[in-house]
Structures are given as C-alpha cells and as structure tokens.
Amino acid sequence: MEELHWYAFRIFRNGRNAFIRKLANDGVRTYVPEKVIVKNDPVKGEKVEKKPIFNAIVFVQTTASYVNDIRYDQLTLAFPYLVPGTKFPAVIPDIQMHNFIEVLRLGGDSAEIYKGELNPGDKVRVTQGVFKDREGYVTRVKGNKKFVVAIEGVAAVATIYIPKAFLTPIPDGNPASPQLEEK
C-alpha cells in the first residue's frame, strides 16, 4: 500500500468547496485552516462564522498516485505546489504539518497570516506554555516579535509573542524539515 503524505493545493475560481467535496467522496483527508469570526448585530444578535485563513489553499493527506491523478483533472481546478524547479508535487513533512495544525488550533484568534521573509538563524523550539514542543521561527511582525510556523514554500502563520525564556534555538537551524521527496 502506498504511503500517505501531506500536499498543498492551490485552488482557483472559488472551487474550494467542490474540491473538498470530491476528496471527501474519495475518502481523502483535507485540512483547511479556519478562523472564527464573531459578528455582533444589534438586531439579529451574535453570529459566529468560520472563514478560511487562506482562501486559495487546501492541505490534502493522500498518496502520490492520487495527487498525480487529480492534478490533471480539469474539473477540480486545483494544482499541487511543486518542488521548486521540478514538476513533482511537493511533499510536506509530517512534523511540519503537525506543528502547523497544532499552532493554528492552539493559537486561536491570535494566529495571523505571515507574508514576510523568515530570517535564517531564528529557528527555535518552544519549551514551555501552550506551544510547548512546537518548532518554528521568531521574527518581527508589525514591529513585534512573534512565533511563526511555516509550511516551506506554501504558507506561514504568526502567533502571539513568546517570552525568550520559553525558546531554545535549534542548533542546526533546521526545524525538522527534511528535503522534499520526489514522487
């Protein structure tokens, strides 16, 4: 049996829901990071909505052969992120995906999209607190130091400030992100 890996897909033409339905019908696990938005209307009262953090990205856990099958499906309008310089879908290491999902889950409303550059040498592991054992980067976002977890080449999410005493540098500067596999 073929091994399951995580992949990121870029979705076009508002096709996210149709793409997710197709994958669900095929028994494929998906992950769409969402943010809870509470709207307070004096007439209608409080309304709670879930909105995707990334409008055009869906994370998919499946086999390489399934990715190759759906990447050429004209109906899905979904394209996998590729290993730079190749035509191979980029595999997201399980540890990166796990850190990403957990930080988004634990970060709640404090999580925000990070669009800046990550500086080499800022890679850390959190040793205490709600993000204990998560790996990522420390960088400045809007003038404040934040903990950032990234899916290399796809997306990054910044969370709240974490005290320096709760951080340990990762000596090799590589937070559990092995080379992308060619499948």
Side-chain angles (χ1 to χ4, degrees), residues 1-2 5 9 11 13 21 37 57 59 61 65 75 85 89 91 98 100 106-107 114-115 119 124 138 140 155 170 178:
M1 182 171 208
E2 225 181 323
H5 295 287
F9 279 80
I11 310 301
R13 297 191 195 159
R21 272 194 307 276
I37 298 172
I57 300 174
F59 296 95
Q61 186 181 39
S65 60
L75 298 176
V91 173
H98 179 72
F100 191 74
L106 297 170
Y114 177 69
K115 296 180 180 177
N119 300 323
V124 296
V138 173
R140 289 201 177 276
I170 295 176

Side-chain angles (χ1 to χ4, degrees), residues 50 52 63 107 122 150 180:
K50 286 186 177 182
T63 62
D122 293 337
L180 297 172

Side-chain angles (χ1 to χ4, degrees), residues 79-92:
F79 304 94
Y81 281 78
L82 304 176
V83 175
T86 75
K87 293 183 180 183
F88 297 106
V91 173
I92 299 169

Side-chain angles (χ1 to χ4, degrees), residues 6-9 31 33 54 57-60 81 90-102 104 114 118 135-137 148-157 175-177 180:
W6 281 101
Y7 300 88
F9 279 80
Y31 175 67
F54 307 102
I57 300 174
V58 174
F59 296 95
V60 177
Y81 281 78
V91 173
I92 299 169
D94 286 341
I95 189 72
Q96 268 188 17
M97 196 65 204
H98 179 72
N99 280 336
F100 191 74
I101 291 170
E102 284 300 299
L104 282 168
Y114 177 69
L118 296 174
E135 297 176 351
Y137 304 84
V148 176
V149 175
I151 300 292
E152 310 262 340
V154 178
V157 176
S177 53
L180 297 172

